[in-house]
């Protein structure tokens, strides 16, 4: 058996090993947390980009919806004609026609307002969904990071307990045996 100096050296070596193990585990937990945060940031950027793209596409979508409807296109052209005619001096017949046209334009105006409100509602819903997705992703990343940190802490605690137990057993074994 070794002397007290040997025993102290062995205990110091084991303590240093345990400390290195704790440092490695802590570094791994920090790396995992950084990776999760990076994933959350990437998902947030992607979702924000998708929401911006949906907002940019809204005018084009409204245009595509009216392209397939010749009645809407005709009414729009009719409105443009009325505007042009209003710039010229009017006759009695034109005034009567303009009055009738104004009455005919009202339903079109109402339909356009309803369409705009629908587009606004769709864009609002898309924004809410995007925000919820970001929130859900962030929550999941935080939960995963917390679980990983707890697991790593458990490993470190167990290693430290085993190392201390081994050192204590060796110390008992050294003190129970006769010296040199």
């Amino acid at each position: 058996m070794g002397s007290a100096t040997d025993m102290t050296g062995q205990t110091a070596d084991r303590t240093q090993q345990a400390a290195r193990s704790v440092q490695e585990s802590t570094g791994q937990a920090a790396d995992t947390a950084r990776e999760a945060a990076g994933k959350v940031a990437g998902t947030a950027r992607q979702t924000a980009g998708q929401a911006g793209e949906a907002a940019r596409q809204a005018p084009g979508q409204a245009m595509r919806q009216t392209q397939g409807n010749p009645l809407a296109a005709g009414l729009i052209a009719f409105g443009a004609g009325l505007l042009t005619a209003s710039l010229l001096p009017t006759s009695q017949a034109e005034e009567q026609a303009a009055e009738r046209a104004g009455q005919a334009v009202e339903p079109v105006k109402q339909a356009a307002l309803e369409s705009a409100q629908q587009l606004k509602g769709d864009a609002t819903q898309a924004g809410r969904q995007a925000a919820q997705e970001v929130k859900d992703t962030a929550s999941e990343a935080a939960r995963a990071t917390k679980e990983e940190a707890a697991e790593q802490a458990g490993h470190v605690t167990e290693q430290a307990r085993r190392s201390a137990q081994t050192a204590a057993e060796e110390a008992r074994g050294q003190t129970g045996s006769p010296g040199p």
Side-chain angles (χ1 to χ4, degrees):
M1 294 292 150
S3 66
T5 303
D6 290 340
M7 177 56 103
T8 302
Q10 289 174 354
T11 302
D13 288 344
R14 285 202 174 95
T15 302
Q16 288 175 350
Q17 288 173 347
R20 279 193 297 273
S21 176
V22 167
Q23 287 175 339
E24 289 172 5
S25 295
T26 302
Q28 290 171 354
D31 290 343
T32 301
R34 278 192 291 276
E35 287 175 19
K39 287 179 184 177
V40 168
T43 302
R45 281 191 297 275
Q46 181 182 10
T47 303
Q50 289 171 350
E53 185 63 24
R56 282 190 294 277
Q57 291 177 354
Q61 185 178 9
M63 195 173 229
R64 282 190 298 277
Q65 287 175 345
T66 59
Q67 280 180 343
N69 189 345
L71 180 61
L75 288 174
I76 291 171
F78 180 73
L82 282 178
L83 178 63
T84 303
S86 70
L87 298 175
L88 300 174
T90 61
S91 67
Q92 179 89 9
E94 289 174 332
E95 287 178 10
Q96 291 173 354
E99 186 176 315
R100 280 181 263 149
Q103 292 170 354
V105 170
E106 189 60 35
V108 174
K109 179 181 168 185
Q110 189 63 31
L113 286 173
E114 290 173 7
S115 178
Q117 288 174 345
Q118 180 64 33
L119 287 173
K120 178 184 173 188
D122 291 348
T124 301
Q125 182 63 24
R128 285 185 184 138
Q129 287 175 345
Q132 185 62 41
E133 288 178 18
V134 169
K135 180 181 174 185
D136 292 346
T137 302
S139 295
E140 177 61 27
R143 185 194 59 75
T145 301
K146 180 180 176 184
E147 288 175 2
E148 181 66 24
E151 184 178 325
Q152 291 298 325
H155 290 308
V156 169
T157 301
E158 181 60 25
Q159 279 184 322
R161 186 192 60 77
R162 278 189 262 145
S163 179
Q165 186 178 12
T166 303
E169 288 173 359
E170 287 182 7
R172 276 187 240 128
Q174 291 292 328
T175 58
S177 63

